[in-house]
Amino acid sequence: MGYLTLAGAIAAEVAATTAMKYADGFSRLWPSLLTALGYVLSFLLLAKTLQTLSIGTAYAIWSGVGTAAIAVLGLLLFGEALTLVKVAGILLIVGGVVVLNLGGAH
């Protein structure tokens, strides 16, 4: 159940960050409200996750997967450039999360 709530926390955070881009410096009402709601939901779900998963594991997955997802959405939705450095960074993030989990973080 912990990983399911963690997935929800990640999805809410990614949605909130994407909405923030559309909020145009919080000058647009609906994207701004979606940003606030998404972050509140994300933190509530992350807090729920921490009841069953260790903080190191949960936070590494939450931040790593969220960062990689936002980088990919930046490419797909906003036409950001795909550079070798960006690909390497995403791979390092994903690799770090995998290594942390293989290393026995509970």
Side-chain angles (χ1 to χ4, degrees):
M1 190 63 171
Y3 286 104
L4 185 60
T5 56
L6 182 56
I10 293 166
E13 189 270 333
V14 169
T17 302
T18 303
M20 190 186 306
K21 176 72 173 174
Y22 289 107
D24 195 28
F26 295 110
S27 65
R28 297 178 62 213
L29 177 63
W30 294 112
S32 298
L33 291 175
L34 185 58
T35 299
L37 178 64
Y39 281 124
V40 168
L41 180 60
S42 179
F43 285 124
L44 288 172
L45 290 171
L46 183 59
K48 184 72 173 166
T49 298
L50 295 179
Q51 292 177 327
T52 57
L53 295 178
S54 72
I55 192 169
T57 298
Y59 191 75
I61 294 170
W62 181 77
S63 61
V65 173
T67 300
I70 287 298
V72 170
L73 286 174
L75 298 169
L76 298 175
L77 296 178
F78 306 112
E80 295 178 358
L82 180 61
T83 65
L84 184 58
V85 172
K86 189 172 281 191
V87 171
I90 292 169
L91 291 174
L92 285 170
I93 291 167
V94 172
V97 170
V98 169
V99 169
L100 181 63
N101 284 296
L102 291 176
H106 294 105

